[in-house]
Amino acid sequence: MRGKTAGRFRLVLRTSLGFAALGVGSSVAGAGVVALLLLLQGLPADVGSNGWILGATAGGVVAVSLLIGTLWTAYLQRRTVVWFTRGQPPGKDEARRALRLPVDMAVVSGTLWLLGALALGVLAGVLGSLRDAAGIALTIGLGGLTTVGLTYLAAEWVARPVMTMALDVLPLRGSLPVTVLTRLIVTWALACGVPLIGVLLVATPPDLSQTDPTPSLVVLSVTGLVTGALGVALLARAVASPLHRLRVALDRIARGITDVRVDVDDSSEIGMLQTSVNDLVAGLREQDRMRDLFGKHVGTDVARHALEYGASLSGDVREVTALFVDVVDSTALAFRTPPQELVDKLNRFFASVVSAVDARGGLVNKFQGDAALCVFGAPTRLADGPTMALAAARAIRDAVVSEGELDLGIGVATGSVFAGQLGTSSRLEYTVIGDAVNEAARLTEDAKSVPSRILAAEVTVKAALGGEREHWRLHGELHLRGRHQSTRAWTD
């Protein structure tokens, strides 16, 4: 907990210092470049001895702008710093303000540069000439555009942690606060647009100054290179970094890993893509949960069969071995045992059944109160279903007897059955129907009075492998209820 708190404190401190450095640093750097250009161009040229007035005014404008910009930025930050510092989710209004933070900071910077250009331009016109006013206003205006663009791109980068928390509360829907196209346009303006406009103003008529334009062109070129590099770096970080995280997340999803979540920290189309990936993962997790729940209700093999072939009234006739297991004297047991205690005993009993059958490739087709029908050979075909079924019957008997809670009978029979979906188009159940199932159920009734508690039809024992047949001996011929032919039954 202490480490988590310390980490959040460092994150909050880094974000706050980033905003402060961004507001002051961009303005100072922009003002320095503008002052250098004006000096190289010899502007203003016609103010004479009144130049100190213009210089003092420019210094005052810069100082006032820095003060106002710092206070304005602090006010914008104050609206997010409380909930962000505490790590609490913002309200919807707070989230909206947080998402507007880069635009608001650009507006602050742009407003102050515009007021400075107007004030100094008008003063230069009063003290000098219209040419001085135009030169100063255009130079300051271009410097302001560059500063505003850098401020916007850098504010988006600094505000990523704030954006993440805000977008959790206010997901992107409908129109976007910003687009990738907006960032591309701003980056183009920083790298090409503004510097080239400055070059055109310096190198083409009408000349705004009488000095050699070469130094100014050099400064404009260097400024364009630096601002262009910064703009492209910020754009790359804003686009390439989240795309890289998305690629890593999709790679994990492709490998079947669904405990993936991408932080939504972008308010453009990239943020929509991050949200879509999270929605995709949530859908996959829900499918896995439903598949797991479905498999627990009907068996993993049946679930896989249904997902592969669809939900339809279909099936086929195949050779299977049916194993039926039932609790002895369940009515009297229910009478003398409290319901919860009885359920606990039955759950332990069924756990032994499922464990033995699953371990041998069979399917627990259904639970019927205190009985269970197990199938070997459907829906998954088995090379040696009779052997597996007989081994499972012995394992179930041994496990239940060792627990000493319940008595049981087990019947095993082999034959052709219908295996498939039964019911209606709105309600289906995978089941097996045929004489082998009925024979196994009838053998279970007689097995309850056999010391071994297991009876198997002779066809099943004869079809088993030699190693398994060695466990079995002939019990005798039985006339099973509902069947016209006698059954030669074997016991272990």
Side-chain angles (χ1 to χ4, degrees):
M1 180 65 70
R2 183 178 300 175
K4 185 176 181 180
T5 303
R8 168 153 294 278
F9 175 76
R10 287 193 296 269
L11 180 63
V12 171
L13 181 62
R14 185 167 62 247
T15 304
S16 300
L17 292 178
F19 278 122
L22 176 62
V24 176
S26 61
S27 299
V28 171
V33 172
V34 169
L36 179 60
L37 284 173
L38 291 176
L39 180 62
L40 293 175
Q41 287 294 100
L43 293 174
D46 300 325
V47 295
S49 60
N50 294 324
W52 67 272
I53 299 177
L54 191 61
T57 304
V61 168
V62 171
V64 172
S65 296
L66 285 176
L67 178 61
I68 295 176
T70 301
L71 294 176
W72 200 343
T73 302
Y75 168 74
L76 294 176
Q77 276 190 269
R78 186 176 180 277
R79 298 187 302 183
T80 60
V81 71
V82 175
W83 56 264
F84 181 61
T85 303
R86 295 177 178 175
Q88 298 174 344
K92 289 190 174 181
D93 290 338
E94 293 173 325
R96 289 190 186 94
R97 289 194 293 266
L99 293 176
R100 291 199 309 266
L101 194 55
V103 174
D104 289 343
M105 291 192 66
V107 169
V108 171
S109 179
T111 301
L112 295 175
W113 277 92
L114 177 61
L115 293 176
L118 292 175
L120 294 177
V122 170
L123 183 60
V126 172
L127 298 177
S129 63
L130 291 178
R131 187 180 66 179
D132 290 333
I136 288 180
L138 288 172
T139 303
I140 296 176
L142 292 177
L145 287 176
T146 302
T147 304
V148 169
L150 281 177
T151 300
Y152 173 76
L153 293 177
E156 281 197 327
W157 170 49
V158 174
R160 291 280 173 173
V162 179
M163 294 285 192
T164 302
M165 297 182 65
L167 289 171
D168 281 342
V169 174
L170 199 66
L172 296 173
R173 296 287 186 272
S175 60
L176 300 173
V178 66
T179 65
V180 174
L181 179 60
T182 303
R183 293 174 180 155
L184 289 173
I185 292 174
V186 172
T187 305
W188 171 86
L190 291 173
C192 300
V194 174
L196 290 178
I197 292 174
V199 169
L200 291 175
L201 292 174
V202 171
T204 60
D207 296 331
L208 297 178
S209 71
Q210 305 299 322
T211 61
D212 182 10
T214 302
S216 297
L217 294 176
V218 172
V219 171
L220 286 170
S221 299
V222 172
T223 302
L225 289 172
V226 173
T227 57
L230 289 174
V232 170
L234 292 171
L235 177 66
R237 192 176 185 89
V239 175
S241 181
L243 289 181
H244 173 72
R245 294 198 300 271
L246 285 171
R247 183 186 63 80
V248 172
L250 290 173
D251 285 345
R252 297 186 65 192
I253 294 170
R255 295 197 302 270
I257 303 173
T258 57
D259 59 338
V260 176
R261 188 183 186 282
V262 179
D263 288 335
V264 181
D265 59 358
D266 195 290
S267 57
S268 69
E269 294 91 343
I270 295 175
M272 293 287 287
L273 185 58
Q274 292 170 329
T275 302
S276 298
V277 171
N278 288 335
D279 291 343
L280 169 66
V281 175
L284 292 175
R285 281 199 296 265
E286 180 64 16
Q287 288 183 9
D288 289 343
R289 190 184 73 84
M290 294 299 294
R291 186 181 291 110
D292 179 64
L293 187 62
F294 184 33
K296 287 179 179 178
H297 276 274
V298 302
T300 55
D301 291 335
V302 174
R304 190 181 303 111
H305 181 274
L307 291 172
E308 182 176 354
Y309 295 101
S312 61
L313 295 172
S314 62
D316 57 357
V317 176
R318 61 173 62 180
E319 190 85 2
V320 304
T321 298
L323 184 155
F324 199 88
V325 55
D326 190 16
V327 173
V328 174
D329 201 13
S330 58
T331 302
L333 181 66
F335 176 77
R336 65 175 183 267
T337 307
Q340 186 59 54
E341 182 181 344
L342 178 61
V343 169
D344 293 339
K345 290 183 177 181
L346 289 176
N347 283 337
R348 287 190 287 271
F349 164 64
F350 287 136
S352 300
V353 174
V354 172
S355 176
V357 172
D358 284 351
R360 292 161 178 82
L363 165 71
V364 180
N365 182 236
K366 57 172 64 72
F367 297 119
Q368 299 175 340
D370 57 355
L373 172 61
C374 310
V375 182
F376 293 80
T380 302
R381 297 183 183 274
L382 294 177
D384 194 16
T387 302
M388 296 295 102
L390 293 174
R394 293 189 296 107
I396 293 169
R397 188 270 319 278
D398 293 344
V400 174
V401 170
S402 66
E403 291 177 356
E405 292 184 324
L406 299 173
D407 195 5
L408 78 165
I410 302 175
V412 186
T414 300
S416 296
V417 301
F418 169 84
Q421 306 284 357
L422 190 70
T424 69
S425 58
S426 60
R427 179 69 180 270
L428 300 175
E429 180 183 12
Y430 185 88
T431 189
V432 288
I433 296 178
D435 181 62
V437 179
N438 297 329
E439 187 177 17
R442 299 296 178 257
L443 284 170
T444 301
E445 296 176 3
D446 288 344
K448 295 177 181 179
S449 59
V450 173
S452 67
R453 294 298 190 264
I454 306 175
L455 287 177
E458 185 174 69
V459 173
T460 304
V461 177
K462 295 288 187 177
L465 295 178
E468 179 61 35
R469 282 203 307 269
E470 293 177 355
H471 294 281
W472 300 83
R473 62 178 177 80
L474 181 63
H475 175 72
E477 290 197 3
L478 301 175
H479 294 280
L480 303 177
R481 181 168 56 88
R483 302 186 82 244
H484 300 295
Q485 293 181 338
S486 61
T487 298
R488 289 174 62 86
W490 291 60
T491 188
D492 75 319

